[in-house]
């Protein structure tokens, strides 16, 4: 992790962005205090396929016992 002053960051922005893109974290200081941080961007998450999720949940077997009974049975049988 590097610390760069605000005035140096203005002059070296292209280089700092390249370094962040490569995985480095750069902190920017002003008047001796850290005021900002330049970090690598996270990759975008894939959107959830709602239809595939719906098909999956519909294909799961229906549980006859209630959740409370199921947990109580697990607790009584010491299987938790």
């Amino acid at each position: 992790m590097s610390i760069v002053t605000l005035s140096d960051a203005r002059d070296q922005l292209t280089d700092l962005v390249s370094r962040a893109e490569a995985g480095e974290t750069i902190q920017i200081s002003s008047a001796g205090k850290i005021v900002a941080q330049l970090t690598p961007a996270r990759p975008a998450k894939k959107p959830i396929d709602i239809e595939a999720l719906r098909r999956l949940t519909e294909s799961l077997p229906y549980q006859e016992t209630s959740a409370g009974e199921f947990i109580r049975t697990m607790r009584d049988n010491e299987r938790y």
Side-chain angles (χ1 to χ4, degrees):
M1 186 175 339
S2 300
I3 299 175
V4 178
T5 64
L6 182 58
S7 60
D8 288 342
R10 285 187 191 124
D11 298 336
Q12 304 170 12
L13 184 59
T14 303
D15 178 53
L16 295 176
V17 169
S18 296
R19 288 167 50 188
E21 186 178 26
E24 187 177 347
T25 298
I26 296 111
Q27 293 182 328
I28 301 172
S29 66
S30 179
K33 295 181 181 178
I34 304 298
V35 294
Q37 186 167 291
L38 190 59
T39 60
R42 296 181 185 166
K45 294 182 179 179
K46 292 172 56 176
I48 296 173
D49 184 352
I50 299 297
E51 287 304 315
L53 182 60
R54 188 170 288 131
R55 285 191 304 271
L56 174 66
T57 55
E58 288 173 353
S59 70
L60 296 173
Y62 180 75
Q63 184 172 338
E64 297 293 329
T65 58
S66 71
E69 281 295 319
F70 181 75
I71 296 297
R72 196 171 297 113
T73 302
M74 285 177 54
R75 182 194 62 214
D76 292 346
N77 294 331
E78 298 183 41
R79 293 192 60 190
Y80 55 91

